[in-house]
Amino acid sequence: MPHRFAPFFESVVGQRGVIQRREELLVYECDGLASYRQVPDLVILPRTTREVAAVIALCDRFNLPFVARGSGTGLSGGSLPTPDCVVIATTRMRSIIDIDLDNQRITVQPGVINNSVTQAVCGAGYYYAPDPSSQQICSIGGNIAENSGGVHCLKYGVTTNHVLGMTWVLPDGQIVKLGGGPERPGYDLTGLFVGSEGTLGMATEITLRLLPSAQAIAVLLADFTSIEAAGAAVSGIIAAGIVPAGMEMMDNSSINAVEDVVKTQCYPRDAAAILLVEVDGSDTEVQATAAQVAAICRAQGARNITEAREVQERLRLWKGRKAAFAAMGKLSPNYYVQDGVIPRTRLPEVLAAIERLSQEHGYPVANVFHAGDGNLHPLILYNDAEPGALEKVEALGGDILRLCVQVGGSISGEHGIGADKRCYMSDMFSDADLETMIWVREVFNPQGLANPGKIFPTPRTCGESAKAALAGLPGAEVF
Ligand SMILES: Cc1cc2nc3c(=O)[nH]c(=O)nc-3n(C[C@H](O)[C@H](O)[C@H](O)COP(=O)(O)OP(=O)(O)OC[C@H]3O[C@@H](n4cnc5c(N)ncnc54)[C@H](O)[C@@H]3O)c2cc1C
């Protein structure tokens, strides 16, 4: 049966821009966190800022919750539909609007794929630095909403450091401009909207900073017989004042999964851990820094060090790391990935504690992480066919996140809170912190229609872990 509001949306985006057949709606029932599913009522595919504004104004008029969606690669259930919601997907918003090399900036629609930004300007000697491992498929709009990171964010900063301005549609359909010009006095609203996980409306045009490509790049692969030694090498490199362009670590389970699937044939299967370190700059700088990194790794017990300078060789070393999540399918039918952050210096003890938790809960954990900034990605391996397995791995994931908070870290480095981690917000923030954040959301999203049920804990869905004090807050129980 046609949706009763479909004709209103069709009048804005045309018939082909409205999806209402159940078999087509199923495509949008989840994001990368496939354990949570909810089929939306309608999916709308606008093409322009004006169409997004008109669609959101209709949601406001008919009191329909809406969920923005980019490529659906999010790992925290951020674009998971809520019951009776309209999904607004940006798959028809893939134009590059303007390239301004003189001012090192590019303006794009939100559906543009992350990697397409670099592809558009690399011929002229520029690139876009934030590079999530999903960069071949994730959208700039999704990156903005999650404040995504990537291998190169250690040196160059995460998404928020590369957004110069945005056109934004607020949850009542108003179009506003954020940032865009030279330094502006007043509140940093661009900073507030980046990382808002779809709860403050939608980005429809984004101006990004471009960086000149480095003259030279080297990637070093060092392998270690203990995780502690690899962790000590990470601390040693940072303590020497070196900020690598990227510094990633993989443990033995991840190395073997990747070698089984991607067959890089350069990750030693018997290593307890490998470290991938990228350095960039001028030729002389890269030569000197690469030698310094190699010396530090050797001093910490690295068995072998491979160095790659040529682009194909460098890509070969990175390929396994970039495919690490996908390779987990080789080890187990399902995996649940966490995204905690810890102070770098606590790495060895936290990894040992994760191993203890893994044994206590009875589920293996493979570790892949952005070692340079302490952003862990423990991958909990399980089989969804086993009754109750998901609840058990979620409990293990929760214990890992609490461990991160206990050692002075965070429950998310880059994947966002979404639907997945909102129950842990009260482990990290006080009631007053959460209340303040909810007030900010209320200023821009007073009806609670934009991506309801995300980020903040709700007593009904978070059970005991939600603070009772939140129950009375406006918007605290929107699901
Ligand atoms: C294999 C794999 C590897 C990954 N590696 C990384 C990594 O290295 N670093 C990292 O940070 N993440 C990583 N991710 C997670 C994910 O790719 C990022 O969070 C990405 O930014 C999501 O983009 P998307 O287009 O898929 O967004 P979606 O999943 O569609 O949406 C994500 C959030 O953005 C909101 N949103 C989407 N478009 C807009 C818009 N135009 N305006 C406002 N809100 C919007 C949605 O409502 C949702 O809350 C990985 C995921 C996978 C599957």
Side-chain angles (χ1 to χ4, degrees):
M1 205 174 75
H3 191 281
R4 68 190 169 116
F5 293 118
F8 292 94
F9 291 108
E10 282 172 359
S11 72
V12 176
V13 296
Q15 265 188 356
R16 294 184 59 180
V18 177
I19 295 176
Q20 49 182 328
R21 286 172 52 190
R22 190 176 158 82
E23 58 273 30
E24 290 177 82
L25 291 172
L26 282 175
V27 173
Y28 300 87
E29 69 174 346
C30 67
D31 62 4
L33 182 74
S35 45
Y36 290 80
R37 287 167 195 260
Q38 170 73 48
V39 181
D41 272 15
L42 274 179
V43 174
I44 314 295
L45 306 171
R47 286 161 296 203
T48 61
T49 296
R50 291 208 167 279
E51 287 186 2
V52 172
V55 166
I56 291 183
L58 284 173
C59 292
D60 182 58
R61 177 172 156 203
F62 298 124
N63 206 31
L64 295 171
F66 67 89
V67 178
R69 183 179 172 104
S71 302
T73 67
L75 291 169
S76 59
S79 56
L80 173 75
T82 52
D84 310 320
C85 84
V86 170
V87 164
I88 306 176
T90 58
T91 30
R92 292 204 298 179
M93 301 183 78
R94 291 212 168 141
S95 300
I96 290 179
I97 298 166
D98 182 47
I99 298 178
D100 175 5
L101 291 180
D102 289 343
N103 290 302
Q104 298 189 10
R105 50 173 61 195
I106 183 168
T107 302
V108 301
Q109 285 194 303
V112 166
I113 301 302
N114 173 297
N115 200 40
S116 307
V117 178
T118 291
Q119 293 298 324
V121 294
C122 62
Y126 291 89
Y127 75 110
Y128 174 60
D131 56 345
S133 300
S134 51
Q135 70 184 137
Q136 307 284 352
I137 40 170
C138 66
S139 73
I140 291 294
N143 295 175
I144 298 291
E146 301 292 5
N147 191 16
S148 296
V151 165
H152 289 104
C153 294
L154 171 62
K155 181 168 179 179
Y156 294 104
V158 293
T159 300
T160 194
N161 304 109
H162 300 268
V163 180
L164 299 173
M166 294 190 282
T167 303
W168 194 277
V169 179
L170 294 173
D172 61 359
Q174 266 189 84
I175 301 170
V176 294
K177 298 266 182 198
L178 305 167
E183 274 311 305
R184 291 175 177 225
Y187 296 117
D188 174 15
L189 290 178
T190 312
L192 172 64
F193 281 67
V194 173
S196 56
E197 300 195 28
T199 63
L200 303 182
M202 281 184 72
T204 57
E205 289 181 21
I206 305 123
T207 301
L208 301 168
R209 186 193 306 282
L210 297 172
L211 297 180
S213 309
Q215 187 189 21
I217 301 175
V219 179
L220 289 92
L221 167 71
D223 76 86
F224 295 85
T225 51
S226 80
I227 288 212
E228 287 74 13
V234 170
S235 298
I237 290 166
I238 300 289
I242 300 167
V243 184
M247 184 150 59
E248 303 283 306
M249 201 194 287
M250 289 166 66
D251 71 1
N252 182 268
S253 309
S254 313
I255 294 167
N256 279 291
V258 159
E259 279 303 322
D260 284 348
V261 175
V262 185
K263 301 188 192 339
T264 69
Q265 296 181 339
C266 46
Y267 294 5
R269 283 179 180 273
D270 61 343
I274 59 165
L275 203 55
L276 284 156
V277 186
E278 180 168 307
V279 291
D280 64 1
S282 67
D283 275 328
T284 336
E285 192 184 350
V286 166
Q287 202 166 345
T289 315
Q292 219 184 336
V293 167
I296 293 168
C297 289
R298 272 196 207 94
Q300 295 300 339
R303 291 187 307 187
N304 296 296
I305 295 173
T306 311
E307 187 177 328
R309 290 292 186 97
E310 292 312 313
V311 65
Q312 289 311 326
E313 273 305 293
R314 285 192 270 120
L315 289 177
R316 193 163 78 97
L317 291 190
W318 275 125
K319 192 174 170 193
R321 165 62 187 90
K322 293 266 178 181
F325 288 7
M328 289 303 146
K330 179 79 183 173
L331 294 183
S332 157
N334 301 91
Y335 69 84
Y336 177 62
V337 60
Q338 270 309 352
D339 164 44
V341 184
I342 56 161
R344 256 186 320 258
T345 48
R346 310 290 294 265
L347 203 57
E349 76 182 271
V350 169
L351 290 176
I354 290 177
E355 179 53 30
R356 272 198 307 279
L357 288 171
S358 152
Q359 283 174 13
E360 273 166 38
H361 286 258
Y363 290 94
V365 177
N367 286 290
V368 175
F369 40 95
H370 305 306
D373 42 23
N375 186 186
L376 307 181
H377 289 322
L379 294 132
I380 308 171
L381 309 178
Y382 72 106
N383 184 350
D384 206 19
E386 176 198 320
L390 178 62
E391 289 70 24
K392 290 183 198 158
V393 299
E394 284 181 341
L396 169 53
D399 282 353
I400 294 175
L401 291 181
R402 283 187 205 97
L403 171 68
C404 293
V405 174
Q406 275 161 24
V407 299
S410 161
I411 59 174
S412 176
E414 55 185 18
H415 295 172
I417 301 300
D420 184 36
K421 287 192 279 191
R422 59 203 169 126
C423 296
Y424 308 115
M425 286 287 273
S426 43
D427 288 307
M428 184 162 172
F429 295 105
S430 69
D431 291 357
D433 292 335
L434 289 172
E435 197 176 333
T436 308
M437 286 189 247
I438 290 172
W439 278 338
V440 172
R441 184 185 65 177
E442 297 291 303
V443 168
F444 298 100
N445 182 16
Q447 316 268 64
L449 293 178
N451 215 3
K454 309 293 167 65
I455 305 183
F456 300 105
T458 63
R460 187 156 66 80
T461 49
C462 292
E464 294 302 308
S465 74
K467 297 270 170 74
L470 280 172
L473 283 174
E477 195 169 15
V478 276
F479 224 9

